[in-house]
Amino acid sequence: MVKASQQEYEELIKGIWRDNPVFAQVLGMCPMLAVTNSAINAIAMGGATFFVLVGSSFLVAAFKSWIPKQVRISCFIIIIATFVTVADYTLLALIPGVHKELGAFIPLIVANCLILGRQEAFASKSTIRLALLDAIGMAAGFMLALLMLGAVREILGDGALFGIKLFGTQFEPWVIMILPPGGFLTLGLLLLLFNWLAVKRRKFLDEVIKAERGQS
Amino acid sequence: MQKHDPQLLLQHSPILRHDKTTPGVMLDVLLALSPVTIASIWLFGLSAIVVLAACISGAALTEYFFTPTSKRRRILLDGSGLTTGLLLGLTLPPALPAWMAFLGGVVAIGLGKIIWGGLGSNLFNPALVGRAFLLATFPNAMTTWVEPAGSFWNLPSSTLSLPFTLDELDAVSGATPLGLMKFEQQGTPFLELFLGNTAGSLGETSGLLLILGAAYLLLRGDMDWRIPVGILLTAMLFSGALSLVDPTVYPTPLFSVFSGGLLLGALFMATDPVTSPSTPTGAWLFAIGIGVLVILIRVFGGLPEGVMYAILLMNAASPLIERFTQPRVFGYDREDSS
């Protein structure tokens, strides 16, 4: 067992909160808004993206010295497309119902700028180990964001979570939440919350630094 | 110590001062809305009070929580949140659950105003943002209309539904004049529309009182007369032309103007100075756009009423209208002024 260095730990953890692909980088908005009308869809989409991102980060990092710089984007896309095809057929075989609901958005993972962005910005410049850690962290952050959005929208829009009714039959669903405007509203409010927390954290850290300076 | 020359008065702009203040204008609007508000309570009883109070408290609480503490007192006391809450309440159906009305008030101020940067920065009319949200969220409750009860103690069971639920309606439900017209080709006598004894939103039923309130605002100089006049004239001309083509299908101009929320929207919502163009030409264009859209949506669209969407659409267009209708700066050529 190799002990994880501080840098490796950083690469893994940064994607989950600080550099969260959705809340901090605002990437991958298309699947984010389109398929998060229920928690199940969000999980399936997050899982597929996780598989594609980790797989292609691994391959890109492994082959980085053989990929000519001039055609690197097309090479990345071919690698990503391979994994997307695998994910597409796997979902079709395992959960055809969810696959049908996600529809065109599974093939569209190819165009998810989060995945291409990680290859271009990170995997093509680092070791396999770091690229894997980064991909796992980013994909987990993306999944977390999808799940948050999906859960909020399903609870309000349908009174259920993972298809299980949470409230009685009296519950009046918020129809807008499972419609596209609900996606925009929820995403906007979550971004607001995330930024608010980030500002609060920064202020807190500033004060800590100030206090430490005052002591020394 | 610096000494000032008493002869030279130094002062930065604005030099021209106006005695109109935001709280003053808002007070005028509230006064102008009071006859309609009283009429809605007279017609729909206790449920009107509950819905209006829920809207206003939702708006006020949101404003309280999302304004900086230092500005809180001034912003809460300027009355704009109160006006938004009241206007929103007046556009809601009487039997709407109170918690939905409260949510509408929260959305109206939160998403309609605070998020844009507060009073004066919003693109869309806050009250209508709240209503559009409610209509998209609870289409069922938002299109359940009741006949005026005529008794003060009237309180449909749905008004007091617990949060997140909707109770069955136990009052006499009725179609609005516009709904009757659209789906059953059945008119409503003009006098009923004029006095307000019909099913409809709390504040939209009585044409007479809306006009009275607006007349007060006009006398006080708080609104641009071009906008309501433009909207109503366009709507009358357009629907008049249509009813000449086939009077059995299309409503008469008078019916078009006095039914639904057209008067309330044209007189009190489209005239919001923040969300309408300030140039005279722009005001006419804005008004004509609303008038045409209202009749288009009512007659050819799937919904019986279109005032809200018409105003919101033209709100979105109003910065553009304003930009294209800027007056020529004195002393410059036409080409230079743009």
Side-chain angles (χ1 to χ4, degrees):
Chain A
M1 185 73 199
V2 194
K3 211 165 173 287
S5 72
Q6 181 66 28
Q7 191 207 353
E8 283 165 350
Y9 175 73
E10 275 284 308
E11 299 299 355
L12 177 66
I13 212 75
K14 70 171 193 281
I16 292 172
W17 191 252
R18 201 193 67 213
D19 288 345
N20 187 296
V22 172
F23 296 135
Q25 306 180 43
V26 201
L27 288 177
M29 287 297 107
C30 173
M32 191 72 206
L33 292 164
V35 300
T36 52
N37 47 11
S38 75
I40 280 284
N41 287 357
I43 288 270
M45 189 61 180
T49 312
F50 190 97
F51 169 73
V52 173
L53 181 53
V54 173
S56 38
S57 271
F58 171 73
L59 270 196
V60 166
F63 287 104
K64 60 175 180 291
S65 42
W66 285 285
I67 295 176
K69 206 159 174 43
Q70 292 84 347
V71 291
R72 65 186 191 287
I73 301 286
S74 6
C75 294
F76 298 161
I77 293 286
I78 288 171
I79 292 172
I80 296 167
T82 313
F83 283 101
V84 169
T85 313
V86 174
D88 191 13
Y89 282 114
T90 314
L91 281 182
L92 183 60
L94 292 178
I95 32 176
V98 174
H99 181 271
K100 202 176 170 195
E101 268 194 50
L102 295 182
F105 290 100
I106 297 197
L108 276 177
I109 297 176
V110 176
N112 191 329
C113 42
L114 161 68
I115 296 175
L116 189 62
R118 285 338 281 169
Q119 313 313 328
E120 170 75 7
F122 198 88
S124 61
K125 293 172 188 164
S126 73
T127 63
I128 296 177
R129 201 182 148 85
L130 280 182
L132 272 178
L133 287 171
D134 171 76
I136 290 171
M138 285 291 164
F142 189 66
M143 203 159 165
L144 182 79
L146 279 170
L147 187 61
M148 275 168 83
L149 210 70
V152 170
R153 289 180 67 186
E154 194 180 352
I155 289 174
L156 287 178
D158 209 20
L161 190 60
F162 295 110
I164 304 158
K165 293 276 174 208
L166 296 177
F167 313 106
T169 47
Q170 282 271 299
F171 180 78
E172 179 70 8
W174 299 28
V175 180
I176 196 173
M177 280 301 170
I178 45 175
L179 299 175
F184 283 98
L185 280 179
T186 319
L187 179 65
L189 292 176
L190 283 176
L191 277 173
L192 197 70
L193 180 74
F194 188 88
N195 280 336
W196 182 66
L197 288 174
V199 168
K200 267 190 89 160
R201 192 180 138 83
R202 209 175 307 137
K203 269 188 189 158
F204 173 73
L205 287 179
D206 282 352
E207 268 171 32
V208 169
I209 292 170
K210 239 185 238 167
E212 278 176 353
R213 273 193 198 140
Q215 277 175 356
S216 61
Chain B
M1 185 77 193
Q2 203 179 349
K3 234 182 146 189
H4 291 291
D5 183 353
Q7 236 110 72
L8 183 67
L9 184 68
L10 281 175
Q11 193 184 23
H12 63 77
S13 64
I15 312 286
L16 264 179
R17 292 208 176 260
H18 208 284
D19 56 355
K20 268 203 198 316
T21 57
T22 308
V25 174
M26 292 300 165
L27 189 68
D28 279 349
V29 175
L30 288 176
L31 276 177
L33 283 172
S34 58
V36 189
T37 312
I38 292 167
S40 74
I41 295 168
W42 173 265
L43 288 169
F44 297 105
L46 213 51
S47 64
I49 299 185
V50 173
V51 169
L52 291 175
C55 276
I56 291 171
S57 54
L61 280 176
T62 315
E63 192 139 59
Y64 179 83
F65 280 116
F66 289 99
T67 44
T69 327
S70 54
K71 294 186 195 159
R72 205 171 259 169
R73 213 182 135 75
R74 183 172 58 79
I75 288 179
L76 273 178
L77 289 181
D78 76 6
S80 60
L82 185 65
T83 315
T84 300
L86 183 62
L87 269 177
L88 169 67
L90 290 176
T91 64
L92 297 178
L96 192 77
W99 68 271
M100 290 184 190
F102 182 85
L103 186 72
V106 171
V107 170
I109 292 292
L111 292 182
K113 189 170 134 190
I114 301 279
I115 222 166
W116 299 85
L119 183 66
S121 310
N122 46 302
L123 182 58
F124 297 103
N125 185 313
L128 287 179
V129 171
R131 187 176 196 277
F133 176 83
L134 285 180
L135 185 62
T137 310
F138 309 111
N140 194 6
M142 281 293 286
T143 47
T144 305
W145 309 98
V146 294
E147 297 284 350
S151 125
F152 178 75
W153 299 109
N154 165 53
L155 191 63
S157 57
S158 59
T159 307
L160 292 182
S161 303
L162 288 174
F164 298 103
T165 66
L166 175 65
D167 285 346
E168 286 288 318
L169 186 71
D170 63 353
V172 187
S173 69
T176 61
L178 275 172
L180 283 175
M181 189 75 212
K182 185 154 186 95
F183 301 119
E184 287 159 44
Q185 267 85 44
Q186 186 187 332
T188 307
F190 174 71
L191 199 65
E192 274 187 33
L193 289 174
F194 190 62
L195 295 176
N197 197 20
T198 58
S201 298
L202 285 172
E204 71 178 20
T205 56
S206 170
L208 174 68
L209 295 175
L210 284 166
I211 293 175
L212 268 182
Y216 171 75
L217 275 191
L218 265 182
L219 284 180
R220 299 275 301 168
D222 289 332
M223 77 179 182
D224 190 351
W225 59 271
R226 294 174 189 90
I227 293 176
V229 168
I231 294 175
L232 298 178
L233 273 183
T234 315
M236 280 181 106
L237 282 176
F238 192 11
S239 62
L242 284 175
S243 76
L244 278 182
V245 173
D246 188 355
T248 53
V249 181
Y250 302 119
T252 60
L254 269 183
F255 176 86
S256 296
V257 167
F258 282 92
S259 61
L262 185 55
L263 276 175
L264 181 64
L267 296 171
F268 290 99
M269 295 187 169
T271 51
D272 175 3
V274 175
T275 54
S276 58
S278 56
T279 55
T281 331
W284 284 116
L285 281 175
F286 178 76
I288 291 169
I290 292 178
V292 169
L293 279 171
V294 167
I295 303 297
L296 271 182
I297 297 174
R298 278 188 185 176
V299 174
F300 301 107
L303 302 162
E305 175 62 304
V307 174
M308 174 181 76
Y309 293 121
I311 296 179
L312 285 174
L313 275 169
M314 290 312 287
N315 279 167
S318 85
L320 200 65
I321 294 175
E322 183 126 16
R323 204 160 128 196
F324 280 112
T325 54
Q326 283 302 318
R328 192 161 59 91
V329 177
F330 184 71
Y332 282 81
D333 287 342
R334 262 166 222 283
E335 288 76 32
D336 290 356
S337 61
S338 59

